[in-house]
Amino acid sequence: MNTINLDYISANPLLPEVQDAMIEAIKKNHGNPSSPHQLGEQATEVLEQAREKAARLINCASPQELVFTSSGTESINHAIKGIALAKAGKGKHIITSNIEHNAVLKSLRRLMKMDYRVTSVSVNEYGLVNPDDIAKAVTDETILVTIMHGNNEIGTIQPIKEIARITRKKDILFHSDAVASVGVMPVDVQDLGVDLLSLSSNQFNGPSGVGGLYIRRGVSPLPLIDGGAQEDGRRAGTENLIGIIGMGVAADIAFRERESRVEHARKLKERLIRGLKESIEDIIINGHPEFSLPNLVSVSIRYIEGESIVLMLDEKNIAVSTRSACASGALRASHVLLSIGREYADAQGTLVISFGRDTKESEIDRFLEVLREAVEFLRNMSPLYKKAKVI
Amino acid sequence: MYSEVVMDHFKNPRNVGEMKDADGVGEVGNPVCGDMMNIYIKVKDDRIEDIKFLTFGCGAAIAVSSMLTEMAKGKTIEDARKITNKSVAEALEGLPKNKLHCSNLGADALQLAIKDYEDKKAGKVKAPPKVEDKHEHTKGDACRCPYCDTDLGEAMEFCSNCGKDLGKEIFK
């Protein structure tokens, strides 16, 4: 029996077209794009074709505004640390939110050890940042605002355009972590008004191990990796050409399907939320009901713990993700769920269900059926459930 | 991740349920650190005649509870005292290292149930159930291992008593 993958946020399957292009690239033995001979020039051509495709997906003004990296995480590190180091002369204050990805959080924690100051604004019960809070947090020392686009745990989409208006007026750089949204829904860097934006190839069915960083023309973060003159001197190291080729093909397909993907995902999401509400009592759907990633649902199932639900589903060949502390290496509940006001026990029982272009309605239905059984089984042995149900 | 024995006890847990007329009850854990276990025992002629459990927790926590009840059932109180968290983990053919911290609390719950039984037998009045008192919210470390005192990660901005999030602006 095939596994039903409802954990796209952890790993997207590679599209067949992407696989074919990468296999072909492996067999072709491309040269090094930095070499001046024919092999090198051919490699450069392939590299720049991929850049054009990836840049078009986020509507860069020029393909040169897109730098290839090894991952969304590297892009985020590059944007935050690179701007912090480049702008240290102007100031050492950075503004972020309480629900950012660890790549952002830990980059900022690192900078704090180097005397940078960070203000983290809180979010409301839906996980939304209030742009006014950002405006209020700005000081003369502020050099960067970093706010994510779509949240990878609860799906909430932040008001990036509104925040960009503030940062532009105050002449502060603005980075957005759009790893969870690029390729899932249309993301237009010019329309959003950001100065830097991080993305990852795997979130739109490309290979992992490749990411991109949009750097608006005229913005110059300090490079994290020094060496050769690759990527116009912004990111040294011989390019991961096979991965980049795969990313280019995936970006091209994501661009062409940008509207149908959203429509497909929205339908599945509605079906899933309706099904959850109808079949299981005492649940909380997390995130904003409207401003949200179309391909992700976060649900807190009260009185039971997430890892045990994931194991029960896995027995029936269904893969989902949990934000339970018990399933994370860190053994603690998610800071995102705590930030939107979830109780500890409810955070422990939170599943993240994410899907993609090839997910079928029947797979959502099967998931709901198996989940219902698992919840009944686990609640039957839960002291919290028994306590709640005794009058 | 888990051994076959663990998965068997997780999928087919033995002795699940509440016992209304238990002779002894033991409760351990809290949802902040992940797991809660209740153990109920029925004692006859100094022997654990019946035992049940309720558990909120991960796969390991459920398997630990189930295995513990099998090990304790039919044992004399004296023998049941010798069951330790370590011996439960061994009977399960091992647990992942990080699960040895939070999830392996079954024997503790059993020992509390035995104490509760003996207190009742000795005529001691059971302490009234803990009232959710208004306490000061104090920032605490993340969960600490009760056995080896390992700090499981960086301090979090939550109350060490009830888990309430205090970190409105975590970097300030």
Side-chain angles (χ1 to χ4, degrees):
Chain A
M1 195 179 164
N2 287 336
T3 298
I4 296 177
N5 180 7
L6 296 176
D7 190 14
Y8 270 57
I9 199 84
S10 296
N12 267 215
L14 267 60
L15 296 178
E17 295 91 330
V18 173
Q19 293 175 353
D20 291 347
M22 291 177 74
I23 290 165
E24 200 191 316
I26 289 168
K27 289 184 178 162
K28 206 157 188 173
N29 271 322
H30 283 290
N32 186 329
S34 300
S35 304
H37 47 62
Q38 280 182 48
L39 279 178
E41 278 180 13
Q42 283 160 11
T44 301
E45 199 175 314
V46 175
L47 174 68
E48 294 312 317
Q49 279 168 3
R51 193 187 312 280
E52 275 171 31
K53 288 171 185 161
R56 190 177 57 169
L57 179 62
I58 55 169
N59 196 29
C60 297
S62 138
Q64 300 317 313
E65 290 180 325
L66 187 87
V67 174
F68 287 119
T69 65
S70 69
S71 58
T73 293
E74 186 194 316
S75 302
I76 291 166
N77 272 264
H78 188 171
I80 294 177
K81 294 176 185 168
I83 292 298
L85 294 174
K87 293 272 177 186
K90 188 193 164 198
K92 286 189 156 190
H93 181 237
I94 300 171
I95 300 169
T96 188
S97 85
N98 277 355
I99 62 162
E100 299 293 314
H101 188 272
N102 268 338
V104 171
L105 286 182
K106 300 224 168 163
S107 290
L108 292 172
R109 286 204 179 129
R110 181 84 62 200
L111 288 170
M112 285 171 78
K113 289 181 185 150
M114 299 159 69
D115 293 331
Y116 286 81
R117 257 183 352 103
V118 176
T119 302
S120 185
V121 300
S122 55
V123 294
N124 70 9
E125 77 232 68
Y126 300 118
L128 269 185
V129 168
N130 182 348
D132 290 344
D133 291 345
I134 307 270
K136 278 181 215 152
V138 171
T139 71
D140 293 345
E141 299 267 292
T142 309
I143 47 171
L144 176 70
V145 172
T146 178
I147 300 287
M148 76 198 312
H149 187 223
N151 185 276
N152 57 308
E153 291 191 32
I154 57 172
T156 301
I157 306 275
Q158 301 300 344
I160 299 298
K161 273 172 94 161
E162 283 75 3
I163 297 167
R165 266 185 223 123
I166 295 165
T167 56
R168 285 211 168 161
K169 206 157 68 186
K170 308 215 174 190
D171 199 23
I172 297 162
L173 292 174
F174 183 20
H175 165 252
S176 186
D177 159 13
V179 168
S181 58
V182 170
V184 166
M185 58 185 277
V187 173
D188 180 331
V189 288
Q190 297 184 62
D191 181 51
L192 289 175
V194 293
D195 300 296
L196 302 116
L197 181 136
S198 296
L199 61 141
S200 165
S201 145
N202 186 241
Q203 285 303 312
F204 47 90
N205 308 85
S208 32
V210 206
L213 175 62
Y214 161 74
I215 306 175
R216 190 171 57 76
R217 189 198 298 262
V219 176
S220 307
L222 212 72
L224 288 190
I225 300 177
D226 290 311
Q230 291 89 356
E231 301 291 305
D232 281 340
R234 293 171 294 184
R235 201 270 187 188
T238 301
E239 299 85 351
N240 169 12
L241 199 53
I242 293 157
I244 289 170
I245 287 168
M247 178 175 176
V249 173
D252 190 37
I253 298 170
F255 179 73
R256 284 191 270 118
E257 294 179 349
R258 64 195 181 284
E259 272 157 27
S260 61
R261 277 189 192 183
V262 174
E263 201 181 325
H264 175 67
R266 271 200 206 294
K267 269 189 207 154
L268 293 175
K269 181 164 174 164
E270 275 169 28
R271 190 183 187 89
L272 174 56
I273 291 179
R274 194 170 59 236
L276 285 168
K277 286 179 175 167
E278 278 169 10
S279 60
I280 303 168
E281 55 179 21
D282 297 323
I283 59 167
I284 307 165
I285 306 287
N286 301 304
H288 197 280
E290 190 188 342
F291 308 125
S292 183
L293 291 171
N295 69 331
L296 182 148
V297 173
S298 165
V299 58
S300 299
I301 302 174
R302 307 195 67 192
Y303 315 123
I304 54 178
E305 189 277 329
E307 191 217 71
S308 53
I309 310 173
V310 168
L311 289 176
M312 300 273 312
L313 293 168
D314 188 43
E315 281 297 310
K316 299 281 167 76
N317 297 309
I318 299 173
V320 299
S321 181
T322 174
R323 303 265 62 97
S324 150
C326 306
S328 76
L331 292 173
R332 71 160 56 131
S334 140
H335 64 282
V336 176
L337 292 167
L338 298 177
S339 291
I340 60 168
R342 285 295 84 80
E343 298 283 326
Y344 246 85
D346 295 339
Q348 296 284 34
T350 301
L351 296 183
V352 179
I353 305 131
S354 52
F355 34 86
R357 77 199 273 277
D358 295 322
T359 307
K360 298 175 196 70
E361 285 187 348
S362 60
E363 293 179 314
I364 298 289
D365 295 347
R366 170 77 182 144
F367 161 74
L368 287 165
E369 184 189 318
V370 174
L371 178 68
R372 194 182 168 159
E373 288 166 21
V375 169
E376 199 184 320
F377 178 81
L378 292 168
R379 280 186 174 165
N380 187 42
M381 66 174 104
S382 163
L384 294 176
Y385 185 68
K386 300 273 173 185
K387 204 180 269 178
K389 294 296 152 182
V390 171
I391 297 143
Chain B
M1 183 166 80
Y2 292 129
S3 73
E4 273 180 37
V5 189
V6 172
M7 284 310 290
D8 175 45
H9 277 266
F10 168 67
K11 283 187 285 180
N12 309 294
R14 284 65 144 174
N15 306 307
V16 173
E18 210 174 357
M19 205 188 277
K20 296 283 182 202
D21 57 345
D23 295 320
V25 181
E27 294 183 26
V28 290
N30 69 66
V32 176
C33 287
D35 300 305
M36 291 176 74
M37 281 178 207
N38 292 5
I39 296 284
Y40 308 88
I41 53 172
K42 189 97 198 133
V43 183
K44 199 179 173 189
D45 300 333
D46 224 30
R47 205 172 273 278
I48 297 178
E49 190 188 52
D50 198 11
I51 180 165
K52 297 265 186 222
F53 81 86
L54 289 179
T55 289
F56 167 91
C58 64
I62 290 169
V64 161
S65 314
S66 168
M67 176 57 87
L68 172 91
T69 58
E70 283 223 313
M71 288 166 76
K73 201 170 188 171
K75 278 207 167 71
T76 61
I77 292 291
E78 200 192 328
D79 285 344
R81 274 191 213 285
K82 291 174 192 153
I83 299 173
T84 62
N85 291 323
K86 191 164 170 252
S87 63
V88 176
E90 278 166 8
L92 287 166
E93 294 180 0
L95 287 169
K97 197 168 162 250
N98 59 350
K99 300 288 181 180
L100 284 170
H101 298 290
C102 307
S103 315
N104 195 17
L105 304 167
D108 293 352
L110 174 67
Q111 301 313 329
L112 286 176
I114 292 173
K115 185 173 183 300
D116 183 41
Y117 157 71
E118 292 189 327
D119 284 353
K120 275 182 191 160
K121 207 170 70 170
K124 278 191 201 164
V125 185
K126 197 181 173 186
K130 262 187 278 172
V131 189
E132 291 281 325
D133 60 335
K134 275 190 188 159
H135 57 264
E136 284 278 303
H137 292 305
T138 51
K139 289 185 185 182
D141 284 346
C143 302
R144 281 189 92 79
C145 173
Y147 305 106
C148 61
D149 207 36
T150 301
D151 187 359
L152 303 171
E154 295 163 41
M156 271 281 272
E157 305 288 302
F158 59 77
C159 172
S160 54
N161 293 314
C162 66
K164 184 182 163 52
D165 180 30
L166 306 171
K168 278 293 160 243
E169 297 197 16
I170 53 176
F171 288 108
K172 270 202 165 169

